[in-house]
Amino acid sequence: MQDYQKCQLLLKVFNDAYRSPLSVIFIDDIERLIEYTPIGHRFSNQVLQTLLILLRKVPPTPGRRLFVIATTSISHLLEDLQLIEAFNVTLHVSNLQSEDEYRAVLEQDDGLSPEEVSAIASSISRPIGIKQLLMVLEMARSDASQVTAPRFMQCLTTCGY
């Protein structure tokens, strides 16, 4: 998709959100949206500038509220590109570190039995991000009707863990 098309799509998403009294826009991996690459620190300035304008803009209709959530795995990027000022709150989410933390996330999945939750949680041997944990869980689920600890660990290994 060309930069101009991305900018038009962003504008459409924000304008559509302004039509509702209360809207949420979720931008996952904001670095991908602006096509950031760490080698040479390249990115789409046109998309970045459009995003900055839209993030700072007050909804045009009084009484309308817009909540924008964005994620990144490159936290310094928001600062380097001055995106951090466009958000009111920044929150750093650390990797999960312990079996209890893994279990707390896995227990939210209705498709896992308590036994499988415990088996998977005890199989993870080092810190992992919530997003990666959930992605691996979905990967394990896509190949089997029942997610087992061995299947989960196989998918985790496939993902480079």
Side-chain angles (χ1 to χ4, degrees):
M1 184 180 288
Q2 299 289 333
D3 286 353
Y4 176 76
Q5 292 170 314
K6 268 190 192 177
C7 293
Q8 292 298 350
L9 186 57
L10 279 170
L11 183 59
K12 181 181 179 337
V13 166
F14 274 76
N15 283 336
D16 287 349
Y18 294 143
R19 291 188 181 130
S20 176
L22 185 60
S23 296
V24 175
I25 296 175
F26 186 80
I27 305 169
D28 194 21
D29 291 326
I30 199 166
E31 63 272 15
R32 287 188 164 171
L33 178 65
I34 62 170
E35 297 178 14
Y36 174 80
T37 56
I39 300 171
H41 297 289
R42 291 186 218 131
F43 58 92
S44 169
N45 191 51
Q46 184 178 8
V47 174
L48 173 64
Q49 293 306 317
T50 300
L51 192 56
L52 282 169
I53 289 167
L54 291 170
L55 288 170
R56 292 179 178 147
K57 183 179 177 182
V58 175
T61 306
R64 306 287 172 143
R65 300 188 64 172
L66 177 61
F67 186 59
V68 180
I69 301 169
T71 68
T72 183
S73 56
I74 311 170
S75 58
H76 67 84
L77 173 69
L78 295 177
E79 294 172 20
D80 294 347
L81 299 178
Q82 298 175 342
L83 272 165
I84 197 99
E85 291 88 19
F87 293 95
N88 294 330
V89 176
T90 58
L91 177 65
H92 175 77
V93 179
S94 299
N95 284 343
L96 303 171
Q97 304 277 335
S98 70
E99 189 175 325
D100 288 339
E101 290 175 343
Y102 309 140
R103 185 177 289 109
V105 172
L106 293 169
E107 285 174 343
Q108 301 306 308
D109 189 294
D110 293 333
L112 291 175
S113 69
E115 296 79 22
E116 285 305 324
V117 166
S118 293
I120 292 170
S122 63
S123 298
I124 301 171
S125 61
R126 61 180 199 208
I128 185 171
I130 293 173
K131 188 173 179 177
Q132 184 178 13
L133 178 67
L134 295 174
M135 180 191 68
V136 171
L137 183 59
E138 281 305 309
M139 186 177 173
R141 180 171 284 117
S142 69
D143 293 342
S145 59
Q146 179 76 22
V147 178
T148 62
R151 177 68 191 135
F152 180 88
M153 293 310 293
Q154 180 184 16
C155 291
L156 194 57
T157 301
T158 301
C159 290
Y161 179 81

